[in-house]
Amino acid sequence: MSEQSQITKRRSGLQGFTLVELLVVIAIIGILIGLLLPAVQAAREAARRMSCTNKLKQITLALHTYMDANSSALPNYGSDTAPGGDWTPFISILPYLEQGARWNYIPGSYGAAWYYCPGWAGAMDVLCCPSDSAASQVSKTNIPANWSWGVQNTEVGWHVGGSANAEGLNYSTRHSYVFSGADYLNYSQYWNNRNPFPTAYTDRRWNTIAALTDGTSNTIFLSERAVPTSKYDIGSIVSNLGISVVANPSLCMAYKGSGRFLNQSAVDNSGGMTILWEYTGRRMNCYYTCYTLFYTVLAPNSPSCSETAVLGPGPVSANSYHAGGVNISLGDGSVRFISDTIDTGDTTAYGQGNSASQNTGRTGKSPFGVWGALGSINGGETAVLP
């Protein structure tokens, strides 16, 4: 047999992979990808949660810098220039968040927070948790050529002719973070004696750091409240429910669905309205409860309810896209993760004061467990974070 014939014979004896073997290899690769993908997703979420933690810390440090520049006074809910203001502490701390360009647009005279202003329009990264993608989705980023302070029109005004204007909301700076209203369910316009950031709409007041008698390490300043993306999102507020949800906040839990959703049937049959999902987290400058407050009454990632529409009162809850809880910042500048299972004490307790006949403030220990104690500035509790 010639040498060429022997080579040809040897080559003809070589075999490739069979179809079965190829399918087995593909299946093994698929299994490995399936095992690795959750780990990769978990690592990405851990990175997003860490970034979220850093942003909360940055905002809290800005509050401290504001206090250093203002005789230890915390910013309040109201403009810095006149009584009766609608502005939030976010506006007051803009210069301390390296947002001087925005601050320069803020007018020196009083104006309502529903006026358009470039100082509170467009996306602002430090206010957006990376896990909360809707927070950074501001569709209008240009400064309208016809803008002027105090003038409302159909392009830039949030309220035109007494009605909400969706076009104007498209300009507004969204935010994943909200300030603590503590354990006292107050109307937006009135004094809250339990939270660090008092309302100045009807009564011009500020708290100093000395007012936090429970200690800065035991008092929550901010938490997460993710921007809802639909009517049945857990971040929506079931509103116009009457005084019952203030007298007994636990009633709000009837609207709890699965995961990050409300119970659709309960919402549809509530007699309330849930259009507030289109507002929540979409105006960092406005003091209304539905925009920039949460309360330490119901556990994190619980439903939110309100007696009225935008002004409260009601158990508006913290929530996030992080599994199992939310990030919060404390008055000492530290940031902690609070579980959905944190002790909330007696959630059937009267929400607006110690009782229905004593509803101008709350005194003494919070009825809402460790969560309520962490919210109050002066409850006298010795709450220990789990």
Side-chain angles (χ1 to χ4, degrees), residues 38-116:
V40 171
Q41 291 173 333
R44 287 177 175 173
E45 170 54 24
R48 289 192 292 264
R49 182 170 146 184
M50 179 62 70
S51 176
C52 179
T53 296
N54 291 336
K55 290 181 179 184
L56 267 174
K57 184 180 288 290
Q58 186 176 349
I59 296 168
T60 307
L61 291 177
L63 289 167
H64 278 269
T65 308
Y66 175 95
M67 287 188 283
D68 290 342
N70 290 274
S71 303
S72 297
L74 285 154
N76 62 7
Y77 269 81
S79 73
D80 277 345
T81 55
D86 300 333
W87 303 349
T88 72
F90 281 134
I91 302 302
S92 299
I93 63 174
L94 284 175
Y96 311 107
L97 287 171
E98 299 181 351
Q99 297 293 323
R102 286 176 174 266
W103 176 252
N104 290 336
Y105 279 112
I106 306 298
S109 60
Y110 163 71
W114 56 76
Y115 292 169
Y116 171 85

